[in-house]
Amino acid sequence: MKKWLFILFAALLTLVGCSDKDDKQAADKLKKVSVVLDWTPNTNHTGLYVAKKLGYFEEQGLDVDIIMPGEAGADQLVASGKADFGVSYQEGITQARVQDVPLVSIAAIIQHNTSGFASIASKGITSPKDFEGKTYGGWGAPLEQAVLQSLMQTENADINKLDIVNAGDLDFFTMMEKDIDFAWIYYAWTGIEAELRGEKINMLYLTDYSDQLDYYTPVLATNEKMIQDNPDVVKAFVAAASKGYEYAIENPSEAADILIEAAPDLDKALVHKSQEWLADKYQDDAKQWGEQKLSVWENYAKWMSSNQVLEGEFDAKKAFTNDFLPKKEAK
């Protein structure tokens, strides 16, 4: 009996050893790539974490490292080839392209712009006309003033009566405690946080005042060299990311748990409520998640040019592509 037990134990050890070896060989066969976030982990990124956790990247032959941007920023890291993919924005890519920076958007994470100007309800800011005599807290980009002026012009308001200050890295709620009247936020995160705090806010979405400001923010991006040299890798990455975001659309609670597991410092209630709010915003009215339209890229570039925040020739057809999105069967 002892002899048979010894033989059985030895066989089990052999099987375990073979299994570990097979796992290592399988891992070695995966293509290592990196995707850099635009900011700290949040529900804009959930599909990426889902794709990693549920093995969608592995199914596509990829070993994906999700990394933080650091001081350099996602666009700079991707453009220089120090990261393979990144989370970017249409406005950033548009400005980069006219400066011959070879960034390319490969999928829209959210189909419509969900950002806008927010204020505590007691401030009484319910329209761009109310910006007069108020203080706006931003990050000091020329684009901000152009957007503010564009909205104010719709109601014949004078931007010279608006005080614009650089609030640096202050969050919305801290700004509201420092004599700043309103700020630019994404409702899916900061707006939802206000709801959870029981803080009533007024939200003026950019899309309520201009169709040209309905641009893609955020997007997944890569660079031209990656597309030229490794198209199969780009296709595999987008296929897995697409599956991850589709899962988040159909299973927001489970997707939220996956994000929380990856970033445990996040507020659980905020992640779950934000994920629920975003679930039907990812794809929205598009035929499939990630799809982008030429008209959206052209219209926003025209707005940028007419508002003197874009100098140079912009070729929208080279700034984005739908070529790597999974082919969907017609229903």
Side-chain angles (χ1 to χ4, degrees), residues 92-106:
I93 292 177
T94 301
Q95 290 174 321
R97 297 291 311 186
V98 299
Q99 297 172 23
D100 296 322
V101 178
L103 290 172
V104 181
S105 175
I106 51 178

Side-chain angles (χ1 to χ4, degrees), residues 20-211:
D20 289 342
K21 185 178 180 181
D22 290 343
D23 289 344
K24 186 177 184 303
Q25 289 177 341
D28 290 341
K29 291 180 181 179
L30 297 176
K31 172 71 175 178
K32 293 184 180 296
V33 298
S34 58
V35 54
V36 57
L37 305 182
D38 56 324
W39 198 247
T40 54
N42 58 66
T43 46
N44 284 345
H45 313 133
T46 306
L48 298 175
Y49 285 101
V50 168
K52 186 175 178 69
K53 173 67 176 179
L54 299 186
Y56 299 158
F57 285 129
E58 286 188 18
E59 289 174 2
Q60 294 293 332
L62 302 179
D63 178 6
V64 176
D65 188 18
I66 302 174
I67 60 179
M68 301 300 110
E71 294 183 3
D75 283 354
Q76 185 175 334
L77 291 172
V78 174
S80 64
K82 293 180 179 178
D84 301 299
F85 303 96
V87 177
S88 184
Y89 307 86
Q90 183 176 334
E91 59 267 44
I93 292 177
T94 301
Q95 290 174 321
R97 297 291 311 186
V98 299
Q99 297 172 23
D100 296 322
V101 178
L103 290 172
V104 181
S105 175
I106 51 178
I109 292 178
I110 299 174
Q111 192 60 212
H112 293 284
N113 190 348
T114 60
S115 73
F117 297 110
S119 61
I120 300 301
S122 59
K123 300 281 186 179
I125 301 174
T126 59
S127 76
K129 179 68 176 176
D130 297 325
F131 292 171
E132 291 184 345
K134 300 296 193 301
T135 299
Y136 166 76
W139 58 93
L143 181 65
E144 290 176 284
Q145 182 166 340
V147 172
L148 286 163
Q149 183 167 346
S150 182
L151 265 62
M152 293 180 76
Q153 285 176 341
T154 65
E155 298 191 352
N156 297 315
D158 184 358
I159 195 170
N160 294 314
K161 296 180 180 179
L162 169 64
D163 186 18
I164 301 176
V165 300
N166 190 339
D169 294 330
L170 292 180
D171 67 85
F172 172 77
F173 302 99
T174 302
M175 280 192 273
M176 295 303 104
E177 296 173 355
K178 294 184 175 294
D179 298 323
I180 292 175
D181 297 303
F182 68 104
W184 194 345
I185 72 167
Y186 285 88
Y187 194 87
W189 196 254
T190 307
I192 295 299
E193 184 176 357
E195 289 185 20
L196 292 173
R197 287 175 176 230
E199 189 76 71
K200 292 183 179 181
I201 65 171
N202 287 328
M203 183 77 181
L204 305 182
Y205 291 98
L206 304 190
T207 54
D208 288 340
Y209 297 91
S210 172
D211 290 339

Side-chain angles (χ1 to χ4, degrees), residues 199-269:
E199 189 76 71
K200 292 183 179 181
I201 65 171
N202 287 328
M203 183 77 181
L204 305 182
Y205 291 98
L206 304 190
T207 54
D208 288 340
Y209 297 91
S210 172
D211 290 339
Q212 289 183 308
L213 293 177
D214 190 11
Y215 52 86
Y216 298 118
T217 175
V219 299
L220 291 179
T222 189
N223 60 60
E224 290 180 354
K225 189 175 188 304
M226 187 71 179
I227 289 175
Q228 180 178 344
D229 296 348
N230 300 285
D232 290 342
V233 174
V234 179
K235 183 177 181 180
F237 178 83
V238 175
S242 177
K243 193 171 180 180
Y245 280 99
E246 288 172 351
Y247 179 93
I249 291 170
E250 296 296 329
N251 308 279
S253 181
E254 292 83 352
D257 287 335
I258 290 173
L259 176 59
I260 292 166
E261 181 183 350
D265 289 339
L266 293 176
D267 182 281
K268 293 183 180 180

